[in-house]
Amino acid sequence: MKKLFILFIAAATLFIYTGCGKSGSNKDPDYTCATCITKPEAKVANDASFKGVYKGVLIGSTGTIKFDVNNSGTTITATMTIDGVTTTLTATVIAQSGQNPAYISDFNGTLNGQPVTIKFSVGSGGQNPVVVSATVPGHTGITFVLVKETSTALIEAFEGTYETTKPESGTFNIILSRKLALWGALARKNGSTEVDNDANGTISGDNLVREGITIATISGDALAGEFTDGNNKKVTLNGKRTL
């Protein structure tokens, strides 16, 4: 896909910005994601196909997910990490060339000895990748945001937190492409079951920008920032790349 925002959830603003943002003091500036790649895994032959690599973040606890749909062979699997525990899920439907209108399959596996099922759907050209439903014991109400990686645009996932002087705190997980200069996020307040899935914006240099305001700055595999919301409360973000 040429424009990542087509795949990000775009709607209302998660925060209302009224003042200037600034880069924050990174809590771990020397952090490096040892398992993260630096070049796209996606093959050029799959750039306009339902085949390929799809990456995302999740909230319902916190974590990441990556789908491999025949990217470099016949493998169709999903690798999900939630609260630091990783599981590999296997598709039940074989992908066929010319899949129309969409490829849809359950991905089954186990997590902590319990059965897991994730239903994944994507359009024939790789558009609109979504998790239709998810059954993960101990993690109800999981929300995902997914993006298709292409051979020229690496997709990265950051897991993080936010705090405000309201006071309020919660999870803030970001999916982004530095190549396409776009980002999207999921957020959930601690103690709440509601997930905000409408935060998105652009990347200018190393800065995550929303409506002209810098909300965080990326430094290697970490990000941090501060800005003022519409209630004149300071919001602080911190995150680390995990995929």
Side-chain angles (χ1 to χ4, degrees), residues 52-209:
V53 174
Y54 301 85
K55 296 179 179 178
V57 291
L58 64 90
I59 283 183
S61 293
T62 182
T64 62
I65 193 165
K66 181 181 76 173
F67 291 90
D68 180 335
V69 182
N70 289 164
N71 182 53
S72 57
T74 59
T75 298
I76 311 179
T77 60
T79 303
M80 181 175 68
T81 300
I82 185 166
D83 290 345
V85 180
T86 300
T87 183
T88 299
L89 312 176
T90 303
T92 59
V93 176
I94 297 174
Q96 303 288 340
S97 297
Q99 199 86 33
N100 190 32
Y103 172 74
I104 303 175
S105 178
D106 286 342
F107 285 71
N108 296 328
T110 60
L111 182 70
N112 296 325
Q114 299 295 314
V116 172
T117 298
I118 304 290
K119 183 180 288 292
F120 170 77
S121 172
V122 63
S124 58
Q127 70 275 23
N128 301 323
V130 295
V131 170
V132 178
S133 62
T135 301
V136 183
H139 302 279
T140 58
I142 296 179
T143 300
F144 298 78
V145 60
L146 302 177
V147 178
K148 179 178 173 67
E149 183 173 274
T150 68
S151 61
T152 59
L154 175 69
I155 300 300
E156 303 173 57
F158 288 72
E159 294 180 69
T161 60
Y162 74 89
E163 297 179 352
T164 81
T165 53
K166 189 176 181 178
E168 181 179 303
S169 61
T171 303
F172 191 80
N173 292 345
I174 297 173
I175 192 86
L176 62 82
S177 169
R178 304 190 208 207
K179 174 71 173 181
L180 298 180
L182 294 166
W183 64 270
L186 297 174
R188 187 176 71 176
K189 180 174 68 174
N190 289 337
S192 174
T193 58
E194 295 184 5
V195 176
D196 288 301
N197 60 5
D198 49 20
N200 58 89
T202 59
I203 301 174
S204 177
D206 292 323
N207 297 322
L208 300 185
V209 179

Side-chain angles (χ1 to χ4, degrees), residues 9-30:
I9 297 175
T13 309
L14 175 63
F15 298 108
I16 300 174
Y17 307 103
T18 60
C20 294
K22 64 179 181 179
S23 59
S25 176
N26 201 310
K27 291 184 178 180
D28 194 355
D30 298 323

Side-chain angles (χ1 to χ4, degrees), residues 6 32 36 44 114 124 164 201 218:
I6 294 175
T32 299
C36 294
V44 63
Q114 299 295 314
S124 58
T164 81
I218 307 169

